[in-house]
Each structure stands twice: as structure tokens, then as C-alpha cells.
Amino acid sequence: MTRDNAQRAMAALRAEIERHDELYYQRQAPVISDYDYDQLVKRLQALEAAFPELVTLDSPTQRIGGRPSDGFKPAAHRIPMMSLDNVYSSEELREWEARCRRLYNGAFDYVAELKIDGLSLSLRYADGLLTEAVTRGDGTTGDVVTENARTIRQIPLRLANPLAADMEARGEVYLPLSAFQRLNAALEAEGEKAFVNPRNAAAGTMKLLDARIVASRRLAMFCYELFADGAKPFETHWETLAWLRQAGFPVNPHARRCATLEEVLAYCADMERQRATRDYDTDGVVVKINQARAQQELGATAKAPRWAVAYKFAPMQARTRLRGVTWQVGRLGALTPVAELEPVFIAGTTVARASLHNEDQIQRLDARLGDLVIVEKSGDIIPQVVGVVVAERAGTEAPIVVPALCPGCPDRQVRLVRPEGEVAWRCPETRCPTKLRQRLQHFAARTAMDIEGLGEAAVDKLVREGLIADCADLYALTAEQVAALERLGDKSAQNLLAQIERSKTAGLERLLFALGIPDVGRRKAQLLAQHFGSLAALAAASEADLVAVRDIGPVTARRIREWLADDLNQRTLARLESAGVVTRLERPGSGTAARLTGKQFVLTGTLPTLTREEATARIEAAGGRVTSGVSKKTDYVVAGESPGSKLAKAEALGVAILDESGLLALLAEADGGAPPA
Ligand SMILES: [Zn+2]
């Protein structure tokens, strides 16, 4: 690829990545999967590796973190990062207001903002470029975590119009609840310890030395404070928020300017009611006096400013009766106890089930059937039983007994086992139908082989009819078999088969994750795929070979080896291979059709040089498809002169829009021109 072509391709990729960042973070409306996003970044990285002189400081790849840092250096805050005083009731908030009025005679109003439950971060810009990010630390000195902060895609790496040579923005870094759940699921799948709550996860992530892992966890941020040359640049806090927003900083959209304390109180009540509907944890409302002048006069105590206060929400807990415990069987056979509760209303939803995690947790809580228990909810995370009200016991409560036989194996008597050192009981039966159903659902999941239409109901039917005993059986299904399934019409049967067919090209990384090998989550699947390059090479690997892979320890290596050595698994792998499932890593540039495979394009308007037929032919030659209507599944709309309503629709749906040169850049890059990664 020529330097010019590379530059164009890189510009197109950067624009596309930034567009997806915006859709993901500003509009919360992503149009591509995380996996596809990562592929875009990888393509850009590959190009940048080949043309290092074309790397720009504000390239999205600079957020990924090149190499692990060697620990964190401390840095002093020029202006201390103070904490806030808390109030817990409207009376206390009124007292705070009265104190402010006593100490300051002028007029003022308020800005009320959600208090995000995360960790505070200071971002420093020199001549508009992000140069340093520092954690709050003890308020005087924090850790320099610039590499990690760069991975937060919402944070501008460069300011278009800085107010001063020295700018500082402050805000709260948090982990969205959806990302928190994904992270914990992945950690658990890899046999690692899950985080207790999103705040711990965010704090733990910010302290990681490998920025690449930080990047994968998708931290987010809301900014709420600004200094220019060490001083507040605006007369009001409201103007500060407006400037931050237009400068590209993430600002929470729920901030409100309130003329009176009554308005503030109404806002607090609204926010507390809506608390459970957000994708991030909030633990209260920060109420600030809007006018900088009043703030200055009110000043601060040794610990906190007098002009701001945190109104704390009540904890999202409730008491209810524990009626029973259901033991759920996971895809690796682990049993999870789920508390069946007398339904109780907590923060906007009725809770009837809650997690009890494992047998040890039940013992720690000393929970018994019939107990009055404390249930806690954190956003939309699965509610948990966090305590027992022992004082309320009647004496008739019964102990919770772990079943001796697998509840997921109804036709056989299968004794559960608890391997030494593990917290969970497991079903050891390879033919356990519940494990099979869970494995198949995992195999078909969006992050695995991505077989749309193979959800819980379809899997249940296929397993019940005896059509499927492992994932390889999916590829042997016939149209008649699928159509004969109860209440599955011809059309959805065909769709399902088409989706199964399409999944053959999902690629080695996804396949290794989808197989459900113990300890192999998405990240390890990726590492294994890149290290071995093919399923055959992995299957032939010894324990020593596996340990040589970065981040694979001896325990994981043994588990992988055991899984691969299993007769049934070997047969499954052989059948997947002969069914035509892609089991080799497709390296960038190794095939022309690989790059845009499955991507859907829509053409609209007249392109400057290409006819519609030519454009279609070139897209198809690169593996893409051209369709007529714009939908959520459309990957790119190529717009020329006088585009029709398709362009408006694409904009409304947030579909990536290319002009002819953008298309040509994408095609040039897909045309095997990219260097191997
Ligand atoms: Zn079982």
C-alpha cells in the first residue's frame, strides 16, 4: 500500500472509530459489536505500525495503551481535590442552605448534579493536549494514571479551543453497570474473583499496570469541574458545564440549574426515584452554589468546600422473607443458589429472586429458609441477599441444604461433587442436559459464534427433540428437522439455518471462546488464537506449550489440556472442522474477501467517479454485500451527490456514512494491502 493510500485509509478508520465512540458513549446507541469495534482499532493499529510517521497524537489508538507502565508516580494537586460533606435528609439540606445564607449576603442559585459512584480524576492539558491524569489520592497527592485515562474514549485527547495554556478538568470515572456485569461474567468464566460493585471495579481497573486491559474494560467518565491557569474561568458553574460539554468532555445530561432550594429538593426526589433506571451507580445528588463569587466568599473548611454538599440517597435495600432456594446449573456444571423471595419493591422494581452466590456465602450469612433477609440492589445488577435479621427469627427456620443429586439431570441420578479448593458444587455428568443447553446458548451468544435466533427457546426445543448433543450437531441440522420443531415456521427455520451457516466464518478467536473450554474467556481465547493460529495447533499443544502463552498459568494450562484430551471434545472438534467451520486465524491481509465479509453496504446518490454497478462489484469483491434498504444491520451507507432519504435514515440510525473516497480507502485497505499484524 502506498503512503498516500495508507494515510487515507487511516483517516477513514480514525473517523469511523471516533464516530463509534460517540455513538457508544455520548448517545449510548452503539451500532457495532465490541468485537467489530476492536477489529477497526486493530486495522488502524496495523496501518500505524507500518507507517509510524503517520501516527497522530490524538489517534484513537493512543487510547489503547502501548505497553504496561512500571507502576505509578505520585503527583501533587495544584488545587486540592477536596471531598464533600454529606447530608442525609431534606432538613439537613435546608440547614446547609441557611448556613450559606448566613455567611454570604448576595444572591445565588444552585446547580444540582447526580453524584456518580466512582473515583475522582484530574485531567491536565498543556496547550490543549492531554498530558497528565492524576487520581484523587489523599486529595493533596494522587497517582499519575495518564496511560489508563487515555483508554477512556470519552476523554478528549486534545482540546480544539483551550481557554488557557494550562487547563485542568475534573470528574468522576465509573464503570457502566452493563460493562461491570460483562467484566464480572468474564472474570468468573476465567475462574477469577469478581468485583463486589462497579466502584471497586473502576478503582481496581484504574490501578492496573497494563493499559490494554484497562481499555478492554470500557471505563467511562463524567466531568464537572474546570480550571484555566489554576482559576475558575467562568462566573457560574452552569457556564462551566456548558463549556465542558461543547469542548467535548462528557458531562452528565441530568445536571439542572435550580432557582430555589425547593426545586433542588424536587430534583433530588426525582433522581432518587429514577436511580435504578440508569446504566451507572449514583449514590446521591451534589448540590452546588452556582455563582463563583459566592463560592469564593464561602470558601472551605479543612476538608470540604462550604458551597457544595452531597445529598445522599437511601441505600437500595429492603427486607423480605426467604421462601426457598433454587439451584441453577451452569454450562460448566457449577451450581449457583438463587434465593426465592417474597416479592418486594426496591428502587422502582419488584424483586422476587436474588443471588446467594455459593454455599460458603450461605454459611457466612447463616441464611435459613423462612428467614427475614436484607436484599440489596445496585442499579440493574442482579439483587443480592446481603444479610439476615437474626433478631426476627421464630425458631422454625430450616437450614438450606445443598442437593446431593444434580437438579439439571432429571433422568439420571448424578451425584454432585465439590472439587477441593473450589467454592461451587458441580455436576460431573458430561451428558447433563442442562449443562448442554447452557453450553449451546453460550456457543450461540453474540460475543461467541453470534447465531441470531438460537436463543433459550430454540435451544430447549433442539435438545428436547434429541437433535443436538453437542455444538457440532448444529451444523448437521436439516431444514426438515428445524421446520418440524414445534411452532417454528418455515421462514424462521430458514433464517436459523442461514445464521448457523454464517457462523462458520466467525473466526478462530470467537470459536475458542464459544467452545466453553474451562478458564478460557474472550481474552484468553484471543491470546490462544494469536499464539497458535489454528485449532489443530492448539489441540496438539502440550501443557508446557500452553504455559508459554502470555497470561496462561499452570492451572489454566492443565484445564485446557484436560479439555482438549477428552474423547468427546476431540470428536466435536473434528466434526466442526469437517463441517467447514473456520478453525484458522485469518490474519489481516491474508485474504481479500476476509476483510469486509458480512458487512452490509447501502448506496445512495451519485458517486463522483464510480457507477453504482462498479461500486457494487468492488464491495462484493471485497466480501461485502450491497442491500437496498437502510436498517440497523447496515454497516455503511455510501453517499454521493443528491442522496435520498436513505442518508437521513442512516443518520437517524447512527449508521456509518462514507463518501466515495472513504469507500475507496476502506476497499484499498481490505484489498490485502495491510501489513500482517
Ligand atoms: Zn447434571
Side-chain angles (χ1 to χ4, degrees):
M1 180 182 279
T2 68
R3 193 172 181 281
D4 277 356
N5 281 344
Q7 194 155 23
R8 266 206 304 280
M10 285 155 88
L13 280 165
R14 277 182 201 128
E16 200 188 343
I17 290 166
E18 271 165 21
R19 177 171 172 71
H20 288 304
D21 283 348
E22 199 211 330
L23 285 166
Y24 188 99
Y25 284 112
Q26 321 289 333
R27 293 201 246 158
Q28 275 90 42
V31 293
I32 57 170
S33 67
D34 290 355
Y35 176 83
D36 289 334
Y37 175 88
D38 293 340
Q39 298 306 308
L40 288 175
V41 174
K42 273 189 209 154
R43 263 155 48 191
L44 180 56
Q45 281 171 327
L47 282 168
E48 288 184 343
F51 298 93
E53 74 277 18
L54 297 179
V55 178
T56 55
L57 254 186
D58 55 345
S59 167
T61 56
Q62 299 306 298
R63 297 180 186 278
I64 307 303
R67 63 190 81 91
S69 40
D70 314 305
F72 300 107
K73 284 198 285 281
H77 295 293
R78 276 168 287 189
I79 304 154
M81 287 181 90
M82 303 188 107
S83 53
L84 290 174
D85 285 332
N86 294 326
V87 297
Y88 296 90
S89 65
S90 44
E91 290 70 41
E92 287 181 12
L93 196 58
R94 284 182 212 280
E95 284 168 23
W96 168 78
E97 189 227 9
R99 195 164 58 238
C100 291
R101 298 236 176 256
R102 268 202 311 278
L103 295 171
Y104 179 71
N105 287 327
F108 58 78
D109 57 6
Y110 310 90
V111 175
E113 294 162 67
L114 283 172
K115 186 172 185 299
I116 313 297
D117 201 7
L119 69 150
S120 306
L121 189 68
S122 154
L123 304 169
R124 295 179 186 170
Y125 293 83
D127 295 320
L129 266 185
L130 176 65
T131 49
E132 202 169 45
V134 186
T135 62
R136 182 177 173 276
D138 62 4
T140 314
T141 305
D143 289 326
V144 178
V145 290
T146 318
E147 288 295 301
N148 289 350
R150 276 184 204 283
T151 70
I152 302 174
R153 291 194 241 149
Q154 298 164 304
I155 297 178
L157 302 177
R158 186 193 43 186
L159 303 179
N161 296 300
L163 297 168
D166 169 20
M167 300 284 297
E168 180 182 350
R170 289 177 178 179
E172 198 82 354
V173 172
Y174 66 96
L175 193 63
L177 297 179
S178 47
F180 170 70
Q181 283 169 305
R182 271 202 304 275
L183 170 61
N184 266 359
L187 289 173
E188 276 166 5
E190 289 174 31
E192 286 169 45
K193 205 166 158 283
F195 286 104
V196 185
N197 58 41
R199 188 189 51 238
N200 288 4
T205 301
M206 215 55 190
K207 285 294 172 72
L208 288 171
L209 292 176
D210 189 341
R212 285 166 303 191
I213 304 178
V214 180
S216 72
R217 292 193 180 170
R218 315 251 163 167
L219 290 167
M221 187 176 189
F222 285 123
C223 289
Y224 48 70
E225 203 166 15
L226 180 69
F227 300 101
D229 285 336
K232 294 203 175 184
F234 295 105
E235 279 177 22
T236 64
H237 181 56
W238 194 243
E239 289 168 90
T240 303
L241 292 182
W243 189 89
L244 283 168
R245 200 174 281 126
Q246 64 78 33
F249 286 97
V251 174
N252 190 279
H254 302 289
R256 191 180 298 168
R257 187 174 175 177
C258 299
T260 65
L261 197 73
E262 294 313 309
E263 276 180 45
V264 172
L265 288 168
Y267 173 87
C268 290
D270 279 353
M271 293 300 113
E272 187 157 7
R273 251 196 312 278
Q274 295 165 22
R275 186 179 182 191
T277 65
R278 310 204 190 288
D279 192 31
Y280 43 85
D281 263 350
T282 55
D283 57 353
V285 168
V286 177
V287 185
K288 293 173 183 164
I289 299 221
N290 189 21
Q291 282 70 19
R293 187 155 174 218
Q295 293 179 3
Q296 213 166 6
E297 288 227 1
L298 286 164
T301 65
K303 164 178 158 291
R306 290 195 187 88
W307 48 268
V309 74
Y311 171 91
K312 300 281 271 193
F313 294 151
M316 294 202 290
Q317 287 187 343
R319 293 172 168 206
T320 188
R321 287 282 162 203
L322 177 61
R323 281 179 172 167
V325 171
T326 305
W327 296 84
Q328 288 183 343
V329 183
R331 74 183 150 87
L332 300 175
L335 248 65
T336 309
V338 177
E340 306 290 346
L341 306 165
E342 212 155 279
V344 59
F345 197 71
I346 314 177
T349 52
T350 302
V351 174
R353 313 186 89 194
S355 176
L356 276 163
H357 298 290
N358 53 50
E359 189 190 12
D360 289 355
Q361 173 74 354
I362 292 172
Q363 279 169 1
R364 249 194 314 273
L365 294 169
D366 185 27
R368 302 178 197 175
L369 297 176
D371 264 340
L372 191 63
V373 293
I374 300 163
V375 182
E376 191 171 279
K377 203 174 119 196
S378 181
D380 61 356
I381 297 168
I382 302 160
Q384 310 177 48
V385 176
V386 296
V388 172
V389 188
V390 178
E392 294 280 323
R393 273 198 181 139
T396 53
E397 292 77 12
I400 297 167
V401 183
V402 182
L405 303 177
C406 174
C409 288
D411 304 332
R412 276 181 221 104
Q413 301 219 321
V414 178
R415 256 185 197 285
L416 294 170
V417 294
R418 183 170 167 175
E420 221 183 289
E422 287 193 19
V423 292
W425 288 85
R426 285 179 192 280
C427 169
E429 172 59 60
T430 38
R431 290 163 302 171
C432 176
T434 308
K435 271 159 69 174
L436 173 60
R437 282 198 295 268
Q438 303 274 2
R439 275 205 307 274
L440 287 169
Q441 274 177 44
H442 171 76
F443 186 81
R446 201 176 61 88
T447 50
M449 298 300 267
D450 192 17
I451 307 175
E452 213 184 303
L454 196 61
E456 200 176 335
V459 165
D460 270 1
K461 283 176 197 159
L462 291 167
V463 172
R464 204 165 346 110
E465 296 295 318
L467 292 174
I468 287 192
D470 73 355
C471 57
D473 287 338
L474 285 172
Y475 299 98
L477 285 174
T478 66
E480 291 77 40
Q481 284 174 328
V482 177
L485 290 176
E486 192 193 344
R487 283 196 298 173
L488 199 70
D490 270 2
K491 187 143 182 274
S492 45
Q494 266 172 17
N495 277 343
L496 180 57
L497 286 172
Q499 288 287 331
I500 290 173
E501 184 63 29
R502 194 187 69 109
S503 74
K504 288 181 179 174
T505 57
L508 184 61
E509 292 181 4
R510 280 174 175 254
L511 177 64
L512 292 182
F513 173 59
L515 286 170
I517 304 168
D519 285 1
V520 178
R522 278 173 79 183
R523 191 174 136 70
K524 292 210 171 89
Q526 204 174 16
L527 293 172
L528 289 169
Q530 277 160 8
H531 187 93
F532 292 103
S534 74
L535 191 57
L538 172 66
S542 67
E543 258 181 69
D545 295 336
L546 287 162
V547 173
V549 182
R550 184 160 58 92
D551 281 2
I552 303 272
V555 176
T556 300
R558 188 174 340 116
R559 288 201 176 145
I560 296 173
R561 190 59 240 148
E562 278 169 9
W563 191 92
L564 290 167
D566 182 274
D567 283 350
L568 282 174
N569 293 335
Q570 282 184 359
R571 224 173 309 154
T572 302
L573 296 184
R575 288 173 57 228
L576 285 171
E577 191 114 46
S578 60
V581 174
V582 170
T583 58
R584 305 191 150 272
L585 190 64
E586 288 179 358
R587 295 185 190 277
S590 67
T592 52
R595 313 308 305 280
L596 297 177
T597 300
K599 297 284 180 211
Q600 291 198 14
F601 289 75
V602 171
L603 304 172
T604 180
T606 313
L607 299 177
T609 65
L610 291 176
T611 66
R612 189 163 286 232
E613 289 68 34
E614 284 164 351
T616 303
R618 294 188 60 172
I619 290 167
E620 285 174 354
R625 280 203 295 140
V626 177
T627 57
S628 55
V630 178
S631 75
K632 269 197 226 155
K633 291 191 177 159
T634 308
D635 295 291
Y636 301 96
V637 166
V638 183
E641 189 100 0
S642 350
S645 61
K646 287 173 187 170
L647 182 62
K649 186 153 185 212
E651 279 170 347
L653 287 173
V655 175
I657 296 163
L658 301 174
D659 58 10
E660 186 182 274
S661 61
L663 173 66
L664 290 174
L666 201 64
L667 289 169
E669 203 258 325
D671 197 22

